[in-house]
Structure formats: structure tokens, C-alpha cells
Amino acid sequence: MKLGFLRRLSLPLMATVLISATAYLYLMRLSPSGDRGCGGGEPLVFYVSPNGSDSWSGRLPEPSEDGRDGPFATIIRAREAIRELKRREGLRRPVVVMIRGGVYYLDEPLVFMPEDSGTEGCPIVYQAYPGETPVISGGRPLEGFRVEELGGRKVWVATIPEVRRGEWYFRQLFVNGERRHRPRLPREGFYRVKSVPGYERLEELGLFEGSDQFICHEGDVRSWRNLRDVEVVILHFWVEERIPIREFDPERNLVKLARRTIFVLREGWAREYPRYYVENVFEALSEPGEWYLDRATGKLYYLPMPGEEPGEAVVVAPQLKWRLIEFRGDPGSGKYVEHIILRGLIFECTDWDYVLSTQAAVLVPGAIYMEGALHCAIEGCVIRHVGGYAIEVGRGCSDIRVVGNEIYDVGAGGVKVGTPEIPRRPWDEVKRVNVTDNHIHHCGVVFHSAVGIWVGQSRDNLIAHNHIHHLYYTGISVGWTWGYGESYARRNVIEYNHIHDIGRGLLSDMGGIYTLGVQPGTVIRFNLIHDVDAYSYGGWGIYLDEGSSHILVEGNVVYDAESGAFHQHYGRENIVRNNIFALGREGQVVLSKGEPGQVAFTFERNIVVSNGSPIFVGGYAEDFTSRNIASDYNVFWDLSGSLTVCVERATGRRYSLREWRDLGYDTYTLIADPKFRDICSRDFSLEEGSPALSLGFKPVDLSSVGPRRP
């Protein structure tokens, strides 16, 4: 292209040519087939802008000087234009929708159907205009605030007619792009259930013997305003159970809930009642940044943060519940959404509703949802301020890429892949999903038990190079079959992830990486995991839970996990080799339950370093005299100078090194300083002459852990 030709173009048209050329080069690199299947030539580019019009052609990035043409105003109109193009002439070249900076409020989810598909050589890309930040929001700006006094404090008040008429109610609010919180009690810490009517011998009750009522301590719950909008959030086992109050009897301090809890009202396996807090209490509205929506009057109350002014602040509430974007194919009919890419966009602001799940907030929906999607991608996007999970890859999806995104401040977790149900028909399968290079952090704002990346009944997925931190439960969870039953999960690779600050002392029974069920071919390798903290029990680095079998755990570095670096509940024929497990506060390597005649795991060529806690720990049903593990050629070391090889909690037995070896364990294992470069600074690289090298240990290179640069 000649420079002189460019000089003769108008500015909008020049931008069109340059951006089209850039998009063309990228798309040709993206697709291995080049422009095969297309008519050739550069991509067709449409533009969307806040100052556009859906009556225009959408072919210019800015309005023309005569005001007769320019970009579209909505993404929906761009989608319709592509449909028209395909009906008129077919898809002969790639299509790029360039979305200009600004906020695009959706009145309903943006849905991509099979007719919106691209092809292998001609993908359809919705992406940010270069250098600009488009935001797709399910929210609605709120105005009309007036300043009043409430309890001696200045409060902003806005009356929302739709709320008063019962047409709208929201549970999240954002001011100047930041989450604001509803008032909760107690301000710090938690209340504790006093008793439960009908419960006897609390420790003997079954897990699923829930209740729809409890007795509170005097003054913890009261007959508050709009009592049925007050939520009780019960924290026990590995879940939160968020349930509205149905009624309160102050004479008996009896709290009646709107529905029954799933789990027994007990603190894990302990002989005590659970913690809880209450949220959305009008009478507790007292701190800057708190808000309350009165359903009866339609009034929104907000206590401003310092420096906020009602005429200047941008106040947004979600009007869409759960979902912003849907890829809606029909896999049972063979109709798929294919080759659509979302790139460089910000998605935000959806609301949530009450959902109870037995684990991992697995029933909570995602803001971007895929069903019957093939060869689609979400790349370099930001998903924030949504009520549930950020991304959900559901039924009938394969060859999906979730790459280079940032996910934070979400009600639940980051990415869900697959479903809890085993697929019974080929078109229900979920497979070959790549979730890589994402930054997922500060999640579980509403559903505390959500995980960073959840993989259910799904196979052949790659979960790699993600940075996951500051969650209240597990970082990565793979598999969804308890015990040795049928499982569809297999050949999943979890590698080069950096996972830390998991649990944070709120819930119990979690892992940096967690698995369930029989999973031949699944590999957990080269991950860096640290700082895992549970409330009462079960803060493990790598956690192979019930039935986890035929899994390879190799080349991981795990340290500062409260309950242990590695834990297997029960399972068979796993291989744990060439890992560094260090400084678990209760122990390093835990087996909760061995099985007669079965080898739970082979443990070889690992470096295990303690500081006064045991190397091995037997859990509630493990007796190591049954020889349920095969362990040798490792390096063990204790920084305190007093090595404890093994403690069995079930029997109280403690093994000396000689007793341990008499059982056939660790005959050739070395008790020696592994010579880490600086263990106090958590530098686990090996110095020359490390005794681990003589046993065949291969140094673990952590330089490529976490997201890679684009």
C-alpha cells in the first residue's frame, strides 16, 4: 500500500484501512488454514461506538462530517449486520467488530446463535478498538440522589419506582467502579448458633440432616425492618449457606429460615454449632460505603465514602441477573456456535439470586455462558463485578480457549468447565478446553465456596499458566465423582499454575489443587502452591479426594499449607514423584484412609522438609502397617533438628525412622539437608551437591509458572 494513497484518505477511512490490515494479519496468524474457505482479501470491519447510530452502515470508526454515516451504536446491531451479510453473500472473509471505548449497557443478555458463527478460516471477532476500553455492562446508572440525615449521618437517598412497584430488586451496588457492601452483623467475626430444635447428640447426625430453624444467642438476631430481606450466611464444612430469614420469634430467640439447609447445622465434624453472620440489616447501616435497598418504599440509602459527591459519583446497580453473554447452540440438533472470538473487552455488573450447592458453588451460573459452542475463544478480557462465576463452558462444548483474561471481584469463582452430570450422549460431552494464562483473584464475594477454575465431568482439558489467589476455597478443582464410580473426567493436564492465599481461614476441607474420582491420564505438574489456610481442618496444597486414582503428581513445589503439602483421602495407584513439599504446619504428606491390598500412591524422589511437624500423617482411618503406600528414594529433612517420620491420628502411634523402615518404607531415602538456596525466603532452587540429585531428583524450574506474556 502506497503512503501517497493513505494521505488522500479521510481520517476515519484511513483508520479503517490500517485497522483492517492489522486485523487481517492477526487473523491469518490465528488460523492455520489462512483464508482457506474464504473468498480471500482483508477482513471486513464493522465499528460500534457510543456516539454511533444503528441506522448507519457501521463501516466507519467515527461519524462522517455530514452526519449521514458512521459506526453502529450497539453490539446487537453489529451482530445483525453480520447475519445480513451472511444471508446476502455468505461468509467470504473474516469479520472484525471493533468496539470503541465507552460503556454499553445491556437490557438483556447478548446471545450468539448458530447463525452468528464464523468458520475456521473466517472467524468472527468482537474486540476492543486499539488503545480504547469498551465496557459491556448488565447494570443501570442510578441518579436523582438527595442528601438526608439518618441516625445523625448524611446519607444519599434515591427513590426507584420500579423497586417500589416490585419490578426490580438488586443485591449489588457499585460506585465509581468499586463494589459497595450491604450492612452486616457482627461487624467483625461471626455469631454462633446456640442450638437447633430437634437435634440430639450433634456429633452423630448425618451430613445431610439440615434444618430450617435455629436458636440464636440473645441479641444476635432481632425483629429488624424488612426481616425477610435479611440473609443468614452459615459457614460450615466446605460451604456457605446463604438463606433469607422467614420469621423470628423474639420470645424464644428462634430464627426460622426460608428454606432448609443442605448440611447439618454443625461446625464440620466437630461437636459444636456453626458460625454465621447476617447481611442486609437496615438498622446496621452506619459505615461509609454501606448501602441498603428498601423493597417496600423503593428507597436506596447509601452512606458515601469520603470525597464522594452525589452529582459526580457514578452509581450503578445490576439489572441483568447472572448472564451477560450467551453462546447458545443446540448440540442435540447438530447446530453449534462456532469460531467466535471475544477479545480485549470488559464485562461487568450482573446480579445473583439464592443458590445452594453441596460443594464449589457448582450450581451458580456464569456471566459468559457457552452451550453447544465449538472453536470459540475469550481472550484478553476482564470480567468483574458479576454475581456468579465469570465464565461457564457448558454442555456440548469443545475446542474452547479461555486465555489471558483477568477475573476479579466476582460473586462466585473464575471459570467452570463441564457439568456435574456424566454426559450420556456424544453431543453432551465437554472436552478440549484450554484455560491458560488467566489472572483470577479476589473471588467468592457472595458464594465463598466457589473455586478459581472448576472442571467437572470433562476430559482432555489444559489448565495451565494461571495465577489464582485470594479465594476462600479451592484454587483448581478437577473431577466430580465421589469414590470409584463412573467418571468422565480424564487426561486433564494441570500445569505451571501459581496458586496462593487460598482458604484464608474461612471454610474447611480444601486444596490449592483438588481432584475427585478415577481420572486416568490426569497430570498435575510444575505448579507452585503456597499459603493455604482452612478454618478448622483441611488446608492442603494438593488434595486427591475420594476415589482419586491413576493421577500423576510431578514436579510441583508446595509450601506453607496449613494441613499438609499433599493429601490423599482414599484412592488407588497414583504416582507422586519429584516434588518439593515443605513446611506444612500440621504435617507434610497425609493419607486419610488406606484400603486393604491397595497402594494408594507411590512416593518417590521427592524432597520433603519439615519444621517440627511429621513427614507423614495418617488420618482418621489409616494404619501404615497395612502398607498402603510405596515410598522410597526421597530426601527428608527437619529444620528443627528433630525428625518425626510418621504420626497416625487414628491410633496415636508415632514411628521412629527405624520402625518406619522395618515396615518396608524408605529404605534408600536420605535424611539430609537438601541444600536449598534460601528456604527462609522460600527459594527452593538447589545448590550444587544437593543429595537429592544423587537419587535422580530433577531440579524444578519455576521460571515459567503463572501467566506468560502475550
Side-chain angles (χ1 to χ4, degrees), residues 424 468 684:
R424 297 303 178 188
I468 302 171
F684 293 97

Side-chain angles (χ1 to χ4, degrees), residues 620-641:
Y620 70 93
E622 171 54 20
D623 177 351
F624 281 104
T625 62
S626 300
R627 295 181 174 86
N628 296 126
I629 67 171
S631 180
D632 213 341
Y633 299 99
N634 303 291
V635 173
F636 297 160
W637 187 243
D638 193 296
L639 299 179
S640 72

Side-chain angles (χ1 to χ4, degrees), residues 20-37:
S20 297
T22 301
Y24 174 75
L25 291 173
Y26 181 84
L27 288 167
M28 294 307 98
R29 177 175 62 84
L30 179 71
S31 174
S33 63
D35 62 358
R36 287 178 294 173

Side-chain angles (χ1 to χ4, degrees), residues 134-254:
V135 177
I136 291 87
S137 174
R140 168 180 155 185
L142 301 177
E143 299 176 342
F145 285 95
R146 58 191 180 274
V147 179
E148 299 181 0
E149 282 205 2
L150 180 68
R153 299 176 178 86
K154 288 186 176 181
V155 60
W156 300 359
V157 181
T159 300
I160 306 172
E162 298 94 326
V163 173
R164 187 175 60 236
R165 295 195 299 264
E167 300 168 358
W168 186 27
Y169 186 76
F170 50 86
R171 297 182 175 89
Q172 301 193 114
L173 190 74
F174 304 93
V175 180
N176 295 331
E178 296 181 350
R179 179 182 293 272
R180 298 294 185 250
H181 296 277
R182 300 180 298 173
R184 62 157 278 183
L185 293 173
R187 288 280 171 205
E188 301 290 337
F190 306 96
Y191 296 135
R192 191 174 289 277
V193 170
K194 182 178 181 180
S195 63
V196 179
Y199 276 15
E200 296 180 5
R201 298 187 65 83
L202 183 62
E203 69 277 10
E204 295 181 1
L205 293 172
L207 178 61
F208 295 102
E209 295 187 53
S211 178
D212 60 359
Q213 58 185 337
F214 65 86
I215 304 293
C216 69
H217 290 275
E218 181 72 31
D220 289 354
V221 177
R222 301 178 182 178
S223 298
W224 292 305
R225 179 175 180 173
N226 298 325
L227 185 65
R228 293 193 174 192
D229 285 333
V230 176
E231 299 157 14
V232 174
V233 184
I234 300 168
L235 306 168
H236 57 163
F237 296 95
W238 47 88
V239 299
E240 84 295 323
E241 302 205 53
R242 182 182 292 266
I243 305 174
I245 294 176
R246 178 164 55 89
E247 60 182 273
F248 175 62
D249 180 353
E251 296 295 325
R252 302 167 57 197
N253 286 319
L254 177 64

